[in-house]
Amino acid sequence: MSLTHKDLLAAARAAEFSSRIRKLSFLIIEDQEPARNTLRGCAITCGAFHVAFALSYTDAIFKIRKNPDYDIILCDYNLGNGRSGQQLLEEVRLGKLISERAVWIMVTSEQAYEQVVSAVELAPDDYVLKPFSANVLLSRIEKALTKHDFFTSYYKADPDSLPARMNALVELAKKPDSKRYGADIMRKRADELSRHGRPKAAIAVFDQIISDVYPFPWARAGKARALMKMELFKEAEAEIASVVVEKPDYFEAHDIQAQALTAMGDVARAQRILEHVTERTPRNYQRKRMLSQVALINGDVETANRVMTEVLEKDVVATISVEDVMSLARSKITCGDKAGALAAIAKIPPEKAISIGQSDALALTCIEVCADSETAVAKFKSLCCDLRSDNLEPSEMVDAVRAALYCHEDDLANQLALDLLSDTTRARSVFRLLARVYTDAGKKDALRLIQERVAQILISKQRLLKTAA
Amino acid sequence: MTEKILLSGVHDAKNILFGALEKMSTGANGGCPLEIQLAIEQASERLNKMLATYRMANGKLQPAICSVDARMLVEEAVMRCFEGYDGPVAAVINELADEEWPLDRELVQDAIINALNNAKRFAATKVVIESQATAHGLVITIADDGPGYPMAAAPETLTDETGHSGMGLILARHIAALHQRHGGKGELQTFTGGPLGGAVFQLTLP
């Protein structure tokens, strides 16, 4: 059946949709008052009745935390002070601060934003380029709501159950209007598989998107992340490197590349990449946390210290986490600032100190040992017997080695180092740090002997495998 | 050629804004807000196109490919082109492809709006728009019942309702070619004839 332009424009103002819009709650995030008033006017013309405002990035986080049930969020891309609406979206979605069903529309005057939205893994539901009419905004909101309606059964399925979510997607793919959402269905399948620890299956779906639909940068980034989970770091780096070249403003791609390089042991290059990107995104404190950790592993303690101190001082949005404090304390200990390490540890909020996990508690004890805390030394010595059975992260094992050497428990330190270095994948990312720990303790020779022992173990294992084959 | 297009784009945008200013100063109620809003949007579209032309000329026009609702792409283009229009030409939307398609929404929609503006200017009574998903790709066709493309010169320019030459078909052709997929490349065909006897603008995206 044919339509005319008058039918279209009339449909855009249809009462039926307007009555739905009237019931929805809007949040407008815009730091400039004139633009805020314009958006408000536009939203009201679209039929909005319940409209709230956030005047800045921080205010938006506060408002969303207070009321996570906003239905429609109209967010300006440029939020001032080096913060962007894209960064806010990622923080809100990754932190699960709002419902999956909330519609997020980015408002921008920058055509460059199209490059961002086409690349990123976490994209808004849509965007509008200024200037725009109320009809265009309404059209975009309607389209986003229609899509969310289509995926209702998926959103209702238990997010912690992979079978429930995948079954919902399978059923949706059978619906007649699924052709309009084919790429979204595939993307959600890949994301669910990745989230539920099925990286190989996720890669298969990402590959299908790349070959059958389009080699979207977000699909290649998703594949790279899944390859990382499979510890195929070289392949991950190769995949993401091509994305970085094609989309140099896709900053998260640089993060993935840095992670892959760190895992491969090329920490110096990882640090350079993160330094370059943090210069361009100075208010992205998550990225700065990553830079601090990588710098520490790379032996650049000054940078690690400086960056982490800045994060703790300036990131007023995030609450101080135990990981942040440990990161700063580690860098302080590594450069011999024992008082600084203890001062950093003292900043852990009391409510977090009470609920700290076992491995974090052990890692903190190890750091305190090296800061001359007598209580910590006694505690560490009592834990020595159980230490090897603990499931520690590589950086925590390095903490334990450092603490053991400090307490003159050389046998324990060497055994932990041997365990760590025998797992070559885990060892690669922290070897430099481990080497520094032994050097600072004046025991480089001991580490060399451990490396020789590890080489012998690996050769024996390979021989056994060959014989078995 | 690029300089000519850029200069004409500035001229167009300026004329549109001056026209809106005149309406504000001479209109009974200070000018109709919708008319002024539309004028600002049209001026902005001209400026965006100039930017695209400049980037094209410098080899820096890169597509931002997303999965786009093909139906909404065309419907929105019609809405943006005909909002506030009170002339004799009717836009008729036939069958539209109900598919998702990987394309650059802003660039492709601009090309469609440009073609619609041209058709609206030269059509006698009717502009017909349709889209189909075929083996060759997504085919978007705009046909009018006007005089068609002049034979004397290659139909390299589209003109808008002010009568000045714009960024035109050169840009639209370039935008089509930027879309590459499965070894194929987008293309633009323009000819006179078709179902209404007038100009036909046919954009195919792989």
Side-chain angles (χ1 to χ4, degrees), chain A residues 2-3 126 140 143 213, chain B residues 69 72 76 93-94 105 181:
Chain A
S2 300
L3 288 175
D126 211 329
R140 303 276 163 102
K143 179 201 149 207
V213 184
Chain B
D69 184 324
M72 199 200 126
E76 219 178 73
I93 304 163
N94 283 347
R105 182 175 70 184
R181 189 177 163 227

Side-chain angles (χ1 to χ4, degrees), chain A residues 130-371:
Chain A
K130 296 183 216 178
F132 56 88
S133 67
N135 275 337
V136 169
L137 178 63
L138 188 56
S139 165
R140 303 276 163 102
I141 291 174
E142 185 188 49
K143 179 201 149 207
L145 286 171
T146 305
K147 182 155 89 169
H148 279 241
D149 288 344
F150 176 83
F151 283 104
T152 297
S153 57
Y154 163 77
Y155 292 129
K156 281 185 173 167
D158 180 2
D160 294 327
S161 165
L162 179 63
R165 286 254 153 151
M166 295 299 272
N167 285 340
L169 291 171
V170 164
E171 291 307 310
L172 286 172
K174 294 176 188 170
K175 287 184 156 190
D177 48 351
S178 65
K179 274 197 298 185
R180 297 173 83 172
Y181 308 113
D184 274 297
I185 291 173
M186 289 169 79
R187 186 173 187 165
K188 282 171 164 51
R189 278 177 56 212
D191 287 344
E192 290 292 340
L193 286 164
S194 212
R195 200 167 63 84
H196 283 91
R198 297 269 307 273
K200 196 169 170 190
I203 287 168
V205 180
F206 282 125
D207 276 338
Q208 195 185 352
I209 294 170
I210 290 164
S211 63
D212 294 356
V213 184
Y214 191 81
F216 297 112
W218 55 260
R220 286 144 67 200
K223 181 179 172 183
R225 283 196 205 275
L227 286 165
M228 293 280 293
K229 287 183 183 174
M230 292 177 68
E231 297 187 351
L232 297 170
F233 303 120
K234 200 169 154 200
E235 289 81 350
E237 202 275 329
E239 185 72 49
I240 202 67
S242 65
V243 177
V244 163
V245 166
E246 193 183 304
K247 297 278 181 186
D249 291 344
Y250 182 7
F251 301 124
E252 285 65 37
H254 292 264
D255 294 343
I256 299 170
Q257 188 179 30
Q259 284 162 359
L261 288 167
T262 303
M264 287 161 65
D266 192 352
V267 200
R269 200 167 143 219
Q271 183 178 340
R272 282 197 299 276
I273 287 169
L274 287 170
E275 278 169 346
H276 169 71
V277 180
T278 50
E279 261 176 53
R280 300 185 62 195
T281 57
R283 298 295 290 266
N284 188 318
Y285 294 110
Q286 280 307 111
R287 185 164 291 121
K288 287 195 161 170
R289 283 177 171 85
M290 203 186 314
L291 170 58
S292 175
Q293 283 165 12
V294 168
L296 184 64
I297 294 168
N298 191 28
D300 184 356
V301 187
E302 291 73 29
T303 299
N305 222 342
R306 175 180 48 80
V307 172
M308 202 62 219
T309 304
E310 185 194 339
V311 168
L312 288 173
E313 277 170 13
K314 292 190 179 173
D315 189 3
V316 296
V317 176
T319 50
I320 292 174
S321 69
V322 172
E323 289 74 25
D324 288 346
V325 167
M326 285 204 318
S327 194
L328 181 61
R330 264 189 203 108
S331 64
K332 297 273 185 200
I333 281 292
T334 308
C335 61
D337 182 2
K338 296 179 184 182
L342 285 176
I345 289 169
K347 282 186 183 160
I348 296 177
E351 64 277 13
K352 298 238 165 144
I354 294 168
S355 57
I356 204 168
Q358 207 176 357
S359 62
D360 280 345
L362 175 61
L364 266 181
T365 302
C366 293
I367 296 169
E368 284 172 320
V369 161
C370 301

